[in-house]
Amino acid sequence: MWTLLKSLLLKWGALRVLWNAFGSLAFLLPIAFLLKMFGLPILMALAVLALPVFLVLAVIGLPIILVLVVGGGLLAVVFAALTFGMVVLKLLLPFILLYWVVKLMWRWVFGRGGDRSGPISSEPKPDTGS
């Protein structure tokens, strides 16, 4: 009986340690969700862009290590461009939206709308005598 209680307590303690270990990793869940939401589409785009390059290099008959090096380099360049583009978009998007809102408000307040021809004159145009 004593060994049964001892083994149950030991098992309960081990489960509690595991539970605490996994619970301490809970702060990584939002990062995992973001990576799943944005990382998978980026990886799919990279795969779609890199697959034709890999096939062309393989058809040409280049050694597989060269194909992998060139393909990996191109993949890195495309991923860097996507990353840089996302950073620029995150930085510029508030300014672009602010400009757009100010422009729309300006047109709404001053009533120009889409008309860019200027004020309408009631005077007739002069005759050039052609």
Side-chain angles (χ1 to χ4, degrees), residues 3-4 19-20 27 29 51-52 54-55 58 65 75 82 87 89 104 121-122 125:
T3 55
L4 179 64
W19 182 259
N20 287 339
F27 73 94
L29 284 176
L51 187 63
F54 283 137
L55 291 176
I65 190 72
L75 209 68
L82 283 172
V87 169
L89 186 64
L104 287 176
S121 174
S122 62
K125 294 183 181 179

Side-chain angles (χ1 to χ4, degrees), residues 38 42 79-93:
F38 294 113
I42 288 175
F79 186 72
L82 283 172
T83 303
F84 182 70
M86 289 295 282
V87 169
V88 169
L89 186 64
K90 282 181 184 179
L91 292 174
L92 291 181
L93 191 62

Side-chain angles (χ1 to χ4, degrees), residues 34-62:
L34 285 176
L35 284 175
K36 184 178 179 185
M37 188 177 358
F38 294 113
L40 288 177
I42 288 175
L43 280 176
M44 286 187 287
L46 289 174
V48 167
L49 293 172
L51 187 63
V53 173
F54 283 137
L55 291 176
V56 166
L57 289 173
V59 167
I60 290 174
L62 292 175

Side-chain angles (χ1 to χ4, degrees), residues 1-14:
M1 183 70 178
W2 181 250
T3 55
L4 179 64
L5 286 174
K6 196 174 177 183
S7 67
L8 286 175
L9 285 174
L10 195 62
K11 202 179 284 188
W12 182 71

